[in-house]
């Protein structure tokens, strides 16, 4: 049996096989062939996070028979990658005996003009996958236009990164959770959602890819507890909203910004990484100080036998009179876990010392200068006892820099003086 999936459907195949979790040794993909409809249905995923799609097979498909079987998940996940963008996905199903069958493909390497035969044994169709297909047809869904869904995605991406985002159709607001904290904003008046939507950032990306592959303008959706399903006649995907109940109970907290500074996060993180990488005792101690004044920011590390202080050039810093000098203790490891590539403007990143209503203090690192919620925050604590040590180190650094600069000026003066100081005229 020759099975040909048109190359135009490769993205749909990718969107379905991407849900295969190969960390499970028993991960499977289930295939159903319908001879009359000349279609192939593919089901992937582990319970309860399934996905499926339906392909109308190319006319070149031959000897089609009604069949249902499962294949190894790793093999199925690689199927889109074994064919170039110009190639149809061509598979062959072979039944070598009554109880043994396999599916195979030929992967051609156009560069070296070589070919590889890749064959995978078939097994009985997964009962969980078959049950999913049956139950999926009976879901109590709400139909939403693709245009509205795409607008919801657009509004959501403007608030990334987030753990949860809720677009509430009744209250006309958006609730965003980032780093465990919630912020509420008004939903644009021109968005008319027939039903409220709650998504994680991962679901938002999945839904974006889902919309790119569907032909019609209607999407069915249903939320059942912590499971969210989007579907059409051609495909479906179910995702998890783990932690949703806690998100519903969260309300925006009252906070106070004690200090803020805008600096180069590359430089900030590089100093911590240097101390961690090159000094084992500093890494083991996992302890550092953040110094903030009305003009300067610095990192200090006081781990015996070392005393390091590294000031930073700041583009902006608060200069309230009661914020002349502040010292905060933090864990460098927590801050090093923040990925620079996830920040929009790492060359000028905003850091805020935030105090919450329960007295907790955190250092918030912001995704962009305009963001209202921190991308990530780490616990910190005030430590005024270390202030004299840090000030003494900074004063020593300033004196040494001043001496070095003065010496350079003297040397430069001598150089220029020797060139012109012997009564010789400058020819130029």
């Amino acid at each position: 049996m020759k099975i040909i999936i048109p190359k135009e459907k490769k993205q749909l195949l990718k969107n379905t096989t991407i849900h295969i979790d190969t960390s499970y040794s028993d991960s499977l993909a289930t295939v159903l062939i319908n001879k009359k409809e000349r279609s192939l249905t593919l089901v992937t995923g582990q319970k309860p996070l399934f996905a499926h799609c339906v392909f109308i097979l190319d006319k070149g498909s031959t000897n089609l028979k009604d069949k249902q079987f499962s294949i190894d998940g790793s093999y199925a996940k690689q199927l889109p990658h074994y064919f170039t963008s110009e190639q149809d996905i061509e598979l062959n199903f072979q039944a070598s005996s009554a109880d043994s069958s396999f599916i195979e493909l030929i992967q051609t390497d156009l560069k070296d003009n070589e070919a590889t035969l890749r064959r995978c044994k078939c097994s009985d169709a997964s009962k969980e996958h078959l049950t999913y297909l049956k139950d999926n047809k009976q879901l109590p869904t709400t139909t939403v236009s693709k245009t509205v869904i795409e607008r919801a995605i657009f509004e959501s991406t403007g608030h990334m990164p987030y753990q949860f985002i809720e677009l509430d159709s009744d209250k006309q607001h958006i609730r965003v959770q980032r780093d465990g904290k919630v912020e509420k904003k008004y939903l644009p008046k021109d968005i008319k959602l027939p039903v409220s939507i709650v998504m994680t950032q991962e679901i938002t990306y999945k839904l974006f890819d889902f919309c790119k592959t569907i032909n019609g303008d209607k999407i069915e959706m249903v939320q059942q507890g912590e499971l969210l399903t989007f579907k059409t006649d051609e495909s479906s995907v179910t995702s998890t909203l783990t932690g949703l109940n806690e998100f519903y109970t969260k309300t925006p907290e009252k906070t106070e910004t004690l200090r803020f500074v805008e600096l180069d996060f590359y430089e900030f993180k590089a100093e911590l990484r240097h101390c961690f990488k090159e000094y084992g005792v500093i890494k083991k101690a996992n302890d550092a100080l953040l110094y903030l004044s009305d003009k300067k920011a610095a990192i200090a590390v006081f781990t015996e036998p070392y005393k390091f202080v590294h000031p930073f050039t700041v583009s902006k810093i608060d200069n309230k009179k009661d914020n002349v000098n502040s010292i905060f203790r933090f864990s460098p490891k927590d801050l090093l876990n923040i990925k620079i590539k996830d920040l929009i403007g790492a060359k000028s990143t905003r850091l805020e010392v935030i105090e919450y209503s329960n007295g907790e203090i955190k250092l918030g690192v912001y995704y962009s200068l305009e963001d209202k919620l921190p991308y990530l925050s780490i616990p910190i604590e005030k430590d005024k006892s270390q202030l004299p040590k840090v000030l003494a180190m900074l004063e020593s650094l300033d004196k040494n820099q001043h001496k070095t600069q003065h010496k350079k000026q003297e040397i430069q003066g001598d150089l220029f003086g020797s060139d012109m100081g012997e009564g010789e005229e400058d020819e130029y």
Side-chain angles (χ1 to χ4, degrees):
M1 180 166 52
K2 182 183 287 187
I3 303 165
I4 302 177
I5 299 172
K7 58 180 177 288
E8 294 80 13
K9 295 296 182 180
K10 184 175 290 186
Q11 188 58 49
L12 179 58
L13 178 62
K14 283 183 179 180
N15 289 353
T16 306
T17 56
I18 199 172
H19 299 288
I20 298 172
D21 187 347
T22 56
S23 65
Y24 290 91
S25 59
D26 60 346
S27 66
L28 297 171
T30 299
V31 178
L32 295 88
I33 305 293
N34 187 305
K35 177 182 177 180
K36 182 179 179 181
E37 297 179 359
R38 295 185 62 82
S39 67
L40 180 151
T41 300
L42 180 67
V43 189
T44 64
Q46 302 284 132
K47 187 178 182 179
L49 306 181
F50 298 114
H52 100 282
C53 59
V54 180
F55 304 102
I56 300 302
L57 298 175
D58 184 83
K59 293 179 180 179
S61 302
T62 58
N63 300 320
L64 295 179
K65 298 177 182 178
D66 290 330
K67 287 284 183 182
Q68 55 183 42
F69 54 88
S70 290
I71 57 175
D72 176 67
S74 295
Y75 184 83
K77 195 163 188 172
Q78 291 302 314
L79 288 179
H81 308 289
Y82 286 146
F83 301 89
T84 69
S85 59
E86 300 302 316
Q87 292 176 311
D88 292 330
I89 297 165
E90 186 171 325
L91 310 170
N92 283 289
F93 175 85
Q94 300 282 350
S96 56
S97 64
D99 61 348
S100 179
S101 59
F102 60 86
I103 196 164
E104 67 179 18
L105 62 89
I106 296 177
Q107 180 188 5
T108 56
D109 189 331
L110 299 181
K111 182 179 179 181
D112 299 322
N113 198 27
E114 294 180 352
T116 305
L117 177 63
R118 302 192 185 276
R119 183 178 291 174
C120 181
K121 186 177 179 180
C122 301
S123 60
D124 293 338
S126 164
K127 292 182 179 179
E128 286 187 345
H129 285 171
L130 296 179
T131 300
Y132 170 73
L133 284 179
K134 181 181 177 181
D135 294 344
N136 194 49
K137 294 177 181 178
Q138 302 170 4
L139 287 175
T141 59
T142 299
T143 301
V144 185
S145 77
K146 178 181 174 181
T147 303
V148 170
I149 291 292
E150 288 176 331
R151 178 64 193 280
I153 293 172
F154 175 79
E155 290 296 330
S156 299
T157 53
H159 297 282
M160 287 183 177
Y162 50 77
Q163 292 151 341
F164 286 101
I165 187 166
E166 177 188 33
L167 284 74
D168 192 306
S169 59
D170 296 326
K171 300 177 182 177
Q172 278 296 114
H173 70 213
I174 297 175
R175 292 175 72 246
V176 181
Q177 178 177 314
R178 187 182 302 146
D179 193 30
K181 308 299 181 183
V182 171
E183 178 188 22
K184 185 166 68 175
K185 300 180 179 181
Y186 286 107
L187 189 67
K189 294 181 179 180
D190 60 331
I191 296 184
K192 303 299 180 183
L193 294 173
V195 63
S196 297
I197 302 176
V198 181
M199 299 182 291
T200 63
Q201 186 164 306
E202 181 184 3
I203 291 174
T204 307
Y205 287 132
K206 285 183 181 179
L207 188 53
F208 177 76
D209 290 336
F210 185 80
C211 287
K212 286 196 301 184
T213 59
I214 64 176
N215 295 320
D217 187 48
K218 299 297 180 183
I219 297 175
E220 296 177 68
M221 59 171 288
V222 59
Q223 181 186 327
Q224 296 176 305
E226 293 187 343
L227 296 178
L228 180 63
T229 299
F230 294 95
K231 58 175 288 193
T232 66
D233 292 337
E234 192 179 40
S235 60
S236 69
V237 58
T238 299
S239 302
T240 182
L241 291 164
T242 303
L244 180 63
N245 291 335
E246 184 181 354
F247 168 66
Y248 279 143
T249 62
K250 287 182 178 291
T251 56
E253 293 186 58
K254 291 184 178 180
T255 63
E256 181 183 357
T257 299
L258 302 181
R259 302 300 306 264
F260 78 85
V261 62
E262 292 175 13
L263 46 70
D264 185 337
F265 197 66
Y266 288 98
E267 182 186 0
F268 190 78
K269 193 172 179 180
E271 171 63 15
L272 290 177
R273 187 185 294 111
H274 170 76
C275 293
F276 249 49
K277 184 178 179 181
E278 306 299 339
Y279 297 90
V281 293
I282 292 178
K283 182 176 182 179
K284 186 176 180 180
N286 191 30
D287 184 65
L289 299 165
L290 173 63
Y291 168 78
L292 295 173
S293 72
D294 57 345
K295 297 178 181 179
K296 185 180 294 185
I299 286 177
V301 176
F302 295 154
T303 302
E304 290 293 340
Y306 310 110
K307 286 186 178 181
F308 299 157
V309 66
H310 183 99
F312 295 93
T313 302
V314 297
S315 53
K316 192 175 182 180
I317 194 166
D318 66 296
N319 53 8
K320 298 178 183 177
K321 290 183 179 180
D322 56 342
N323 282 342
V324 178
N325 295 301
S326 301
I327 286 284
F328 302 94
R329 186 179 296 276
F330 69 95
S331 157
K333 187 176 181 181
D334 288 345
L335 195 140
L336 286 170
N337 286 331
I338 299 175
K339 297 178 181 179
I340 289 178
K341 67 179 182 180
D342 292 338
L343 306 178
I344 280 183
K347 276 287 184 181
S348 184
T349 300
R350 187 166 96 254
L351 306 183
E352 283 192 4
V353 178
I354 307 167
E355 184 172 23
Y356 294 89
S357 55
N358 62 358
E360 183 182 23
I361 301 177
K362 288 192 174 185
L363 178 68
V365 181
Y366 284 76
Y367 179 66
S368 71
L369 297 180
E370 294 75 28
D371 250 14
K372 303 300 182 184
L373 283 176
Y375 164 71
L376 197 68
S377 59
I378 65 171
I380 60 172
E381 59 183 32
K382 296 178 181 179
D383 192 349
K384 292 182 179 180
S385 65
Q386 301 299 314
L387 183 57
K389 294 181 184 179
V390 175
L391 290 176
M393 289 286 288
L394 289 171
E395 184 180 359
S396 179
L397 177 61
D398 288 341
K399 286 181 179 179
N400 279 286
Q401 282 183 318
H402 179 73
K403 289 179 181 178
T404 303
Q405 185 64 31
H406 183 68
K407 190 173 183 180
K408 284 182 179 179
Q409 289 173 352
E410 287 182 344
I411 293 172
Q412 288 173 350
D414 290 341
L415 287 173
F416 288 119
S418 62
D419 288 338
M420 305 293 294
E422 297 296 326
E424 298 177 4
E425 295 183 4
D426 185 0
E427 296 179 359
Y428 305 97

